[in-house]
Amino acid sequence: MKPSRTWACWITGVCLASLSACSTAPSAPGCAAEDISPEQLVGTWRVTLAGQSMPWTLLLRPHPEHEGSLRGTLMQNPQHFAVVADIEDGEFTMEESHDGQRIAATWLGQVQAGSCGQIITGNRQDGAVGQAPQRFEMRSDRLR
């Protein structure tokens, strides 16, 4: 039996309406970029930097001395660097230190829309004079 043209048009209309509803549906509570809290960033992240073939591992935990901030370690064996980070209105800021005293690099990024705080992209600016920013992507291990 051959479906009628009216039936095919109705099916197409329902499919298009469903897709439209999905694209305009609000995200889950607390998932809008501006609603992401520091607590949602706690955990292990895989970090890729433009121009580097090996990924880094980033471990973030609540900062014990500054409520609402994060502290952690950026690792790529044998290197381990201390970091502190903040998130506010979907804007991510992280400072990297190689000696625990001075800032060696600053990371500025944004929570990616629709990722519910699981993907952050931006630029890492090395503290050395004249260095071009490096593009980065952070993906939470919770995505896997």
Side-chain angles (χ1 to χ4, degrees):
M1 182 164 119
K2 201 177 201 181
S4 71
R5 183 177 182 124
T6 306
W7 179 252
C9 289
W10 182 82
I11 294 291
T12 301
V14 168
C15 290
L16 289 175
S18 296
L19 288 173
S20 176
C22 289
S23 66
T24 59
S27 61
C31 283
E34 61 274 4
D35 295 334
I36 300 301
S37 68
E39 292 79 22
Q40 289 173 269
L41 303 184
V42 169
T44 305
W45 296 75
R46 179 184 172 98
V47 180
T48 54
L49 283 166
Q52 292 188 6
S53 60
M54 293 291 295
W56 291 76
T57 299
L58 174 64
L59 178 61
L60 291 175
R61 298 283 180 237
H63 197 294
E65 298 161 7
H66 301 286
E67 187 175 334
S69 291
L70 302 161
R71 183 164 76 178
T73 307
L74 182 64
M75 303 168 275
Q76 188 185 60
N77 283 332
Q79 301 172 346
H80 290 73
F81 302 131
V83 298
V84 292
D86 289 295
I87 185 90
E88 187 172 324
D89 295 327
E91 299 289 322
F92 176 78
T93 304
M94 184 167 77
E95 294 173 339
E96 170 189 333
S97 178
H98 297 175
D99 63 6
Q101 301 295 316
R102 291 177 290 277
I103 298 170
T106 302
W107 303 58
L108 301 174
Q110 294 80 36
V111 171
Q112 291 305 291
S115 75
C116 202
Q118 304 299 297
I119 301 173
I120 298 173
T121 59
N123 288 304
R124 176 188 179 269
Q125 181 63 58
D126 193 300
V129 177
Q131 293 290 324
Q134 269 183 302
R135 209 64 200 134
F136 75 83
E137 180 182 81
M138 294 173 43
R139 287 184 171 266
S140 173
D141 273 354
R142 289 179 290 217
L143 275 178
R144 296 183 205 173

